[in-house]
Amino acid sequence: MDKLSLLQGIGKISVFVSLLLAFFLLTVKTENKLANRLFAWFFIFSAVDLSGLFIDAATRTELNWEIFRSTTCLFEMPLFYFFVLAVCYSDFRLQWKHLIHLLPFIVVNLVFIPRIYLNFDTDKDTFLSTFNQLPEIYFVQILIEFQYAFYIVSVFLILKKYREIYLENYANPSTATYKWLFQITCVFLIAHSIVALKNLLRYSGFREVFLWANVLVGSIALFITCWFIMKALNHPELFRGVNSKLKLTKDILPEVKDKSVPSNVQNDLITNQISTLKQYMLEKEPFLDPSLTIQELANQIDIPVRDLSVLINHKMDQHFFDFVNEYRIQKAMNILKDESKSQLTVLEILYEVGFNSKSSFNTSFKKYTNLTPTAYRNDS
């Protein structure tokens, strides 16, 4: 099998797998339907993009359609960007203003009209021989790189803020959403870097190397798509989002300051609030609820959620996530030291103290004790 046939075979398999994953995302039952649909359309346009590996235009008109097809790659990163927003924020909805993200696709096709789409005087072979040297093609490739950089940076910023909001407002030790999206974004960044290097070979004159680079890119695309399928099968619910209206403590801190109250009175109030909070945590043990949020805890102790957020995240210098887990780990340590409960397994203990994942429990336990739960029990 020659390189071209291998490339076409890989392309066909990649398109089939991408469409299969899109079908799965559109039909799987989940609460976050918007995120699934956005990700499905991402894979549909990825399939359209990958189809260029085996489509061969026979006429000048077909070549125009092939060029138009290649411009649809400009839909992929906006769709991925919206997918990340939909997964991270449960209240995210598409709005008319989001149509501005179609601008690069529209601009590119308008630029192509005069000398590419309407240039029927030149036969196909002659046109293709000079196609890669056209200023319009250079413009498109530069635009794609700028678009990609913009969306990748935007996604990383979204994930950074999401993680901070999650840690300040939620006590569920599962951070699958952040890890999953961060992994995807890193994979995209690496894959696109390889594609960018491959595109540079287009102008090097090394046709053989360029063809092998295309085979490599097609193989990577197939591997990534298969990896997504495995992830989607393991996590069909596509995770839990947070409310986008939640603010970080550093943003709400200036809003809760009351300059009319003397600093010594404020300090006494803060000390009393911290004492009340710690006593409540020990006596009522709200941390045993795996899905405890800062809003729910604020309702239980009758403190405004903004004040409680500042109290924990700023005055006590802890994320709500770490604050709650500290009590969970302390209770787990007491159980592990209790000889009367030696029959309990580590798995039973982690569920009893409010964790819902063995890996999360082990990570948090080792963070606080420098020992695994089993090693701590043996040393006690």
Side-chain angles (χ1 to χ4, degrees):
M1 181 183 290
D2 60 25
K3 292 183 288 296
L4 193 57
S5 298
L6 177 61
L7 179 62
Q8 290 177 343
I10 291 173
K12 290 175 182 178
I13 296 173
S14 298
V15 168
F16 173 76
V17 174
S18 294
L19 293 177
L20 182 64
L21 180 54
F23 176 77
F24 169 81
L25 290 168
L26 289 171
T27 56
V28 68
K29 292 182 179 180
T30 177
E31 294 182 2
N32 202 343
K33 293 181 180 179
L34 177 60
N36 274 21
R37 288 168 182 167
L38 288 167
F39 210 26
W41 277 106
F42 169 83
F43 279 105
I44 289 171
F45 279 107
S46 293
V48 172
D49 190 17
L50 290 167
S51 65
L53 295 175
F54 57 84
I55 291 178
D56 186 20
T59 66
R60 184 67 183 81
T61 301
E62 289 179 6
L63 182 59
N64 272 359
W65 281 110
E66 175 63 8
I67 294 169
F68 177 77
R69 177 208 58 75
S70 68
T71 64
T72 59
C73 69
L74 291 164
F75 288 132
E76 294 175 28
M77 287 311 295
L79 283 168
F80 179 66
Y81 169 76
F82 289 136
F83 163 71
V84 171
L85 283 173
V87 173
C88 286
Y89 300 113
S90 56
D91 57 339
F92 173 77
R93 297 293 181 270
L94 288 174
Q95 301 177 28
W96 287 108
K97 66 179 181 180
H98 293 141
L99 289 175
I100 194 172
H101 293 268
L102 298 178
L103 196 57
F105 172 78
I106 295 171
V107 169
V108 164
N109 282 284
L110 288 176
V111 168
F112 278 179
I113 288 176
R115 297 208 306 166
I116 295 180
Y117 290 150
L118 298 181
N119 184 9
F120 288 101
D121 297 332
T122 309
D123 65 87
K124 183 173 79 76
D125 294 335
T126 304
F127 179 78
L128 283 176
S129 65
T130 59
F131 181 74
N132 288 330
Q133 281 71 46
L134 290 174
E136 290 90 339
I137 302 305
Y138 290 121
F139 167 74
V140 171
Q141 290 178 342
I142 293 171
L143 178 63
I144 288 174
E145 295 305 320
F146 273 107
Q147 186 210 43
Y148 196 89
F150 170 79
Y151 283 111
I152 282 290
V153 171
S154 298
V155 166
F156 276 123
L157 291 175
I158 290 170
L159 293 178
K160 180 177 180 293
K161 183 177 180 181
Y162 167 82
R163 186 173 184 274
E164 291 175 349
I165 289 177
Y166 190 91
L167 292 176
E168 288 189 3
N169 294 274
Y170 296 87
N172 189 327
S174 174
T175 54
T177 305
Y178 173 80
K179 291 177 181 177
W180 156 248
L181 293 175
F182 187 81
Q183 287 175 357
I184 292 177
T185 309
C186 289
V187 168
F188 280 167
L189 181 58
I190 294 170
H192 184 78
S193 299
I194 295 172
V195 171
L197 291 173
K198 184 267 297 184
N199 288 335
L200 290 176
L201 293 173
R202 187 193 302 269
Y203 304 98
S204 66
F206 299 107
R207 177 171 172 75
E208 288 293 312
V209 178
F210 178 68
L211 283 175
W212 277 116
N214 272 312
V215 171
L216 175 63
V217 169
S219 302
I220 292 172
L222 178 58
F223 169 78
I224 291 173
T225 308
C226 291
W227 180 65
F228 282 148
I229 285 181
M230 295 304 298
K231 284 286 189 178
L233 289 172
N234 289 328
H235 304 281
E237 73 282 0
L238 285 180
F239 317 116
R240 174 187 184 180
V242 301
N243 192 316
S244 63
K245 295 181 176 61
L246 290 174
K247 291 184 178 182
L248 295 172
T249 306
K250 62 182 181 181
D251 297 327
I252 66 174
L253 190 57
E255 301 175 15
V256 298
K257 285 184 178 179
D258 187 354
K259 295 182 179 179
S260 64
V261 180
S263 59
N264 62 323
V265 176
Q266 284 188 344
N267 291 336
D268 290 341
L269 177 62
I270 291 169
T271 301
N272 290 334
Q273 286 179 327
I274 291 175
S275 177
T276 301
L277 175 61
K278 289 182 175 180
Q279 184 177 355
Y280 183 83
M281 295 294 288
L282 291 172
E283 292 179 357
K284 302 299 183 180
E285 299 185 330
F287 54 85
L288 298 181
D289 178 5
S291 60
L292 180 68
T293 67
I294 197 168
Q295 178 68 66
E296 292 167 352
L297 182 59
N299 293 339
Q300 292 177 29
I301 61 176
D302 197 24
I303 294 180
V305 66
R306 284 149 56 96
D307 293 349
L308 182 58
S309 180
V310 172
L311 186 69
I312 295 173
N313 292 288
H314 182 69
K315 302 300 182 183
M316 299 178 69
D317 198 24
Q318 283 184 294
H319 287 310
F320 178 71
F321 180 89
D322 294 325
F323 170 74
V324 172
N325 278 348
E326 188 173 340
Y327 284 93
R328 289 172 173 164
I329 296 300
Q330 189 62 53
K331 187 173 182 64
M333 290 166 63
N334 292 335
I335 295 175
L336 289 167
K337 288 188 295 185
D338 190 345
E339 293 184 1
S340 65
K341 296 184 178 181
S342 59
Q343 76 282 0
L344 292 177
T345 65
V346 171
L347 190 63
E348 290 173 325
I349 293 172
L350 73 90
Y351 285 123
E352 184 174 331
V353 300
F355 282 89
N356 55 14
S357 163
K358 187 174 182 179
S359 60
S360 298
F361 175 64
N362 287 337
T363 300
S364 296
F365 196 92
K366 197 165 185 179
K367 177 182 176 181
Y368 287 99
T369 66
N370 292 320
L371 293 170
T372 63
T374 303
Y376 181 84
R377 169 177 267 173
N378 294 335
D379 288 351
S380 299

